[in-house]
Amino acid sequence: LDSRLQLSARVAAADAKFELTGKAAALDRQVAVIKSQVDACVADLSERAISHKERMWNDMHKTLVRATTSLGPPRQLISAIDPMALCFYDAALYPGVRGKIALTIDDAPCHVAQTDMCLLKEVGKLLAQFNSKATFFLCTDFVAGHEEDLRALLREGHEVANHCEADRSYSGDSEEDFEAAFLRSERLCDGLRESAGR
């Protein structure tokens, strides 16, 4: 009960400091307007206009993200509500991270299967030149033809992580379809790690 009261007090203090209640009400109004626009648009959509609907939802998601981030700096908001929450590694608590950055490569390895058209080896050489390691987030639909280069990167100490099968929004997929796609991709990532001895 005491921790709930402390959390309530922190939330109230964050609300007062960042005017969250007023901003949330404004956000609710923006969402209602966007929702009514989307609903009106959806009512008139035909089979050929489905991609337009997806763009509208993507625009709505972007608007919501912008509106949410307008409430205040995310790190400060989260810290005001829960001082133990971190959006980063605090060097005071984790001195081993001081002076380090996390380098990630998105949509790896390459959107074409021909290894001579891919810059994966060049990126690996550049990272080696600076004694740096990276995490390569794999769109697993792109992996075919690049397995050996990815295993070489793994053996050099880099990591691979799951970006799912394709570089697309999965928000329209059912939970079951998304989970199946995610797990297929994770099995491929695991197979690369295992075959590289990681």
Side-chain angles (χ1 to χ4, degrees), residues 13-143:
D15 182 38
K17 181 176 181 179
F18 295 104
E19 303 174 343
L20 297 176
T21 301
K23 290 178 179 178
L27 178 59
D28 283 345
R29 289 189 296 275
Q30 289 176 350
V31 169
V33 168
I34 293 168
K35 185 178 182 320
S36 69
Q37 291 172 345
V38 170
D39 288 344
C41 183
V42 168
D44 295 334
L45 286 176
S46 67
E47 284 286 324
R48 296 176 311 212
I50 294 300
S51 65
H52 179 68
K53 175 185 167 189
E54 290 173 357
R55 281 194 306 272
M56 291 283 296
W57 279 109
N58 283 337
D59 289 346
M60 185 174 113
H61 289 153
K62 289 176 186 175
T63 300
L64 288 172
V65 168
R66 281 189 210 105
T68 302
T69 56
S70 75
L71 295 175
R75 286 186 185 175
Q76 291 177 9
L77 286 172
I78 291 169
S79 296
I81 293 170
D82 182 0
M84 295 305 294
L86 291 177
C87 299
F88 58 94
Y89 282 101
D90 187 339
L93 297 173
Y94 304 96
V97 302
R98 186 175 311 280
K100 306 246 192 263
I101 61 168
L103 180 60
T104 62
I105 310 294
D106 199 24
D107 302 340
C110 185
H111 69 282
V112 295
Q114 300 88 346
T115 56
D116 61 328
M117 298 291 292
C118 179
L119 295 176
L120 199 56
K121 289 179 184 175
E122 288 82 352
V123 170
K125 288 176 185 175
L126 183 64
L127 290 167
Q129 181 181 348
F130 291 94
N131 194 27
S132 298
K133 303 298 180 213
T135 301
F136 291 80
F137 280 85
L138 304 183
C139 288
T140 56
D141 284 351
F142 301 159
V143 167

